[in-house]
Amino acid sequence: MSVSDELLDRYFKGQCSAEEKLLVSDYLSKIDDLPDHLLSKADWDETTDAGIDNAKSEEMFTAVKKQTLAKVYRLKWIKLTSAAAVVLAVLFVALFNWKNSPSDLNLAENKISNLKDANAISWKSITNYTENNQSFTLPDSSIVSIFPGAELRYAVPFVKNKREVYLNGKSFFQVAKDSKHPFVVYAKGISTTALGTSFTITALGKSKFIKVQLHTGKVLVKNIDSVHRIALFNEVLLPGKELVYNSQINKVKVSDSRTLVRKENVIRELNFTQAPLVDVFHKLEKHYHVKITYDRADIAEMSFTGSLKLTQSIASILEEIAELNKLNQTKTAEGYLIRK
């Protein structure tokens, strides 16, 4: 079906009858574009907008506004809900961390404290590489004479519930008295426990025999290696007694010792490293059985480092110490007086 240009022109100008309008409308619904010559630029410029009455315009505006605001409000509500959810999540995490942080902090502090405690313990080893006995003073003031080739180990700090040392070889012990902290020597599977006494232990590396000789006081000797031994033993030694343990056949023999203190066990020298003079004088008093009088305030800041040969007289030793520290030494009826 075709429509004349004249009819189309009259249709757009609103001059068609009702039948012509239906005819043109049907035609226009079946085509995509109008011919370019139907509407010139001058005609387009003269074309006016179609008028809509106020009531219809207000109705259309209300409908559009309702749909637009609904979408805006819905979008705002979604945004507000999302923001609220984020804030609540942050508050929950902060509250959880606040409740748990003290215990976690305490746990971390405890772990650090335990680690520090574990790292605070160290081991000290003393080995005699010389051909002569060497005398050492332990932190509790006990004196040990270590024989050639022997090794002594102990933990630092030394005193806890008990004083413990580990021996490989032969040593003489003169234990300082301390009833609250037993002194224990471990050597090749046996332990020797004392409170304040003197004894000698021989536990050579390649020997099957372990020997404990008691000189003064009382000690308890027992087997602590229950894994490789057939039976355990506990022996209390009195002065002059000697225990010999055969580790190969698990046999113990207690007999009289030949001498209470053998000549080889006699301490020949005292070694000091930054030792306070009070401690030095105390050991000299104990060894020489003399009274050394002094004012503690005078020697409070003084110390001594070196070896004192105990084959010397006490007078010559004190003279040497006094000269080094610019002190005066005087012989008295009871012993010696040291002063500034």
Side-chain angles (χ1 to χ4, degrees):
M1 180 185 67
S2 62
V3 176
S4 65
D5 293 341
E6 180 185 0
L7 182 60
L8 288 173
D9 182 65
R10 287 191 295 108
Y11 175 84
F12 287 115
K13 291 181 179 180
Q15 299 176 357
C16 292
S17 63
E19 294 181 14
E20 291 176 336
K21 287 182 179 180
L22 290 175
L23 179 64
V24 173
S25 296
D26 182 66
Y27 168 76
L28 292 176
S29 64
K30 294 179 179 179
I31 63 174
D32 296 325
D33 296 311
L34 290 173
D36 294 335
H37 65 276
L38 290 180
L39 192 62
S40 65
K41 182 178 185 305
D43 294 334
W44 175 264
D45 293 337
E46 293 176 2
T47 303
T48 60
D49 295 331
I52 302 178
D53 59 43
N54 293 335
K56 188 65 175 178
S57 177
E58 185 66 25
E59 181 181 352
M60 293 174 63
F61 176 76
T62 302
V64 172
K65 181 179 179 181
K66 183 177 180 181
Q67 292 295 324
T68 304
L69 290 180
K71 292 182 180 179
V72 172
Y73 289 151
R74 189 179 298 109
L75 180 60
K76 287 185 178 180
W77 172 250
I78 292 174
K79 290 183 177 180
L80 289 174
T81 304
S82 301
V86 172
V87 172
L88 288 176
V90 172
L91 291 176
F92 177 80
V93 171
L95 180 61
F96 179 82
N97 290 335
W98 178 77
K99 287 184 177 181
N100 289 275
S101 59
S103 59
D104 293 342
L105 182 59
N106 291 337
L107 180 60
E109 289 178 349
N110 289 337
K111 288 183 178 179
I112 293 174
S113 177
N114 293 337
L115 182 60
K116 288 182 178 178
D117 292 342
N119 292 335
I121 299 175
S122 59
W123 288 89
K124 184 171 182 178
S125 176
I126 303 172
T127 303
N128 185 359
Y129 295 105
T130 70
E131 296 180 355
N132 302 313
N133 295 353
Q134 287 188 329
S135 178
F136 289 91
T137 302
L138 295 175
D140 68 331
S141 297
S142 295
I143 299 174
V144 185
S145 179
I146 303 177
F147 284 65
E151 179 191 14
L152 192 73
R153 293 190 307 116
Y154 59 89
V156 179
F158 181 57
V159 177
K160 281 192 173 181
N161 295 329
K162 54 187 175 181
R163 301 168 286 172
E164 297 179 308
V165 298
Y166 297 82
L167 173 67
N168 181 19
K170 183 177 181 179
S171 291
F172 165 78
F173 296 87
Q174 187 172 330
V175 180
K177 291 185 178 180
D178 185 350
S179 59
K180 295 182 179 179
H181 301 92
F183 190 96
V184 185
V185 181
Y186 298 98
K188 295 186 66 175
I190 71 169
S191 67
T192 302
T193 304
L195 296 178
T197 183
S198 60
F199 53 91
T200 300
I201 297 179
T202 304
L204 302 180
K206 295 182 179 180
S207 176
K208 62 182 178 181
F209 296 102
I210 304 170
K211 184 187 298 184
V212 179
Q213 297 168 285
L214 182 61
H215 310 305
T216 60
K218 184 168 57 176
V219 295
L220 170 65
V221 184
K222 63 180 181 178
N223 185 355
I224 60 172
D225 190 354
S226 60
V227 177
H228 302 94
R229 311 303 178 199
I230 300 173
L232 300 178
F233 68 86
N234 290 273
E235 294 287 345
V236 176
L237 298 185
L238 298 177
K241 294 295 183 180
E242 176 182 279
L243 180 145
V244 178
Y245 174 60
N246 187 328
S247 60
Q248 192 172 47
I249 62 174
N250 190 40
K251 185 176 181 180
V252 178
K253 181 181 179 181
V254 178
S255 59
D256 292 333
S257 179
R258 295 180 182 179
T259 58
L260 292 182
V261 181
R262 298 179 186 272
K263 184 178 180 180
E264 62 184 359
N265 290 339
V266 175
I267 298 173
R268 294 183 173 87
E269 66 179 28
L270 293 176
N271 297 301
F272 299 96
T273 302
Q274 293 294 322
L277 280 189
V278 174
D279 294 343
V280 176
F281 290 154
H282 174 72
K283 288 180 173 57
L284 291 174
E285 285 180 320
K286 188 174 182 180
H287 181 80
Y288 286 97
H289 305 288
V290 296
K291 178 66 176 178
I292 303 176
T293 305
Y294 51 87
D295 187 345
R296 285 180 173 267
D298 289 343
I299 64 174
E301 303 296 329
M302 300 178 184
S303 62
F304 178 76
T305 298
S307 299
L308 298 176
K309 302 293 183 181
L310 299 181
T311 54
Q312 297 176 272
S313 66
I314 183 63
S316 61
I317 292 177
L318 291 177
E319 184 179 355
E320 179 184 348
I321 295 175
E323 185 178 350
L324 289 172
N325 294 278
K326 298 181 180 181
L327 298 171
N328 296 315
Q329 169 207 342
T330 304
K331 182 73 172 68
T332 65
E334 296 179 352
Y336 294 87
L337 173 65
I338 305 296
R339 60 184 177 181
K340 284 188 175 181

